[in-house]
Amino acid sequence: QVQLVESGGGLVQAGGSLRLSCATSGRTFSSYAMGWFRQAPGKEREFVAAISRSGSITSYADSVKGRFTISRDNAKNTVYLQMNSLKPEDTAVYYCAAGVRSGTITYIGYYNYWGQGTQVTVSS
């Protein structure tokens, strides 16, 4: 079973930055595509960013393009989400996810494993 643990969330003022981390279990981290999703109160969980197994391909939701960067360090079994120029609209619980099969990594249904989430709150 794959285990994912997010960290790095917190309270930040608008315009500030946070870096989220997702530490994964397993010996085959490099075989997983990884994604970040977020869910605000009363809203559906939505795609934020994804990264391919090698890290050579990344995808972003339009709402975060130019502000967020996803990256991975396969030697540390960790994926990151660098969030800059944060807005109050970014307030949500952020979830890390892993997928092990072929598919479209921007689609929520692709992912097999999920972390517990970490709260990000952006004040105005």
Side-chain angles (χ1 to χ4, degrees):
Q1 187 173 9
V2 177
Q3 186 175 13
L4 304 93
V5 180
E6 302 97 332
S7 62
L11 176 64
V12 65
Q13 293 183 346
S17 298
L18 286 172
R19 189 178 77 158
L20 306 183
S21 298
C22 176
T24 64
S25 66
R27 300 163 59 195
T28 56
F29 175 73
S30 62
S31 71
Y32 310 149
M34 302 296 297
W36 287 97
F37 293 76
R38 66 187 182 187
Q39 188 167 20
K43 303 293 185 180
E44 297 250 325
R45 193 169 300 185
E46 66 178 7
F47 169 75
V48 176
I51 189 166
S52 63
R53 292 169 176 82
S54 68
S56 62
I57 301 172
T58 58
S59 296
Y60 299 93
D62 288 343
S63 59
V64 306
K65 285 180 180 176
R67 301 189 297 119
F68 291 10
T69 303
I70 189 171
S71 62
R72 66 191 297 159
D73 186 340
N74 287 351
K76 296 182 178 180
N77 292 350
T78 301
V79 64
Y80 305 95
L81 185 68
Q82 178 67 47
M83 305 186 293
N84 298 326
S85 301
L86 283 161
K87 305 174 181 179
E89 306 92 89
D90 296 318
T91 295
V93 176
Y94 283 71
Y95 296 90
C96 177
V100 298
R101 301 179 180 181
S102 298
T104 302
I105 64 174
T106 58
Y107 175 51
I108 192 170
Y110 167 79
Y111 293 92
N112 305 103
Y113 304 99
W114 294 83
Q116 81 286 354
T118 186
Q119 177 71 47
V120 172
T121 302
V122 184
S123 63
S124 60

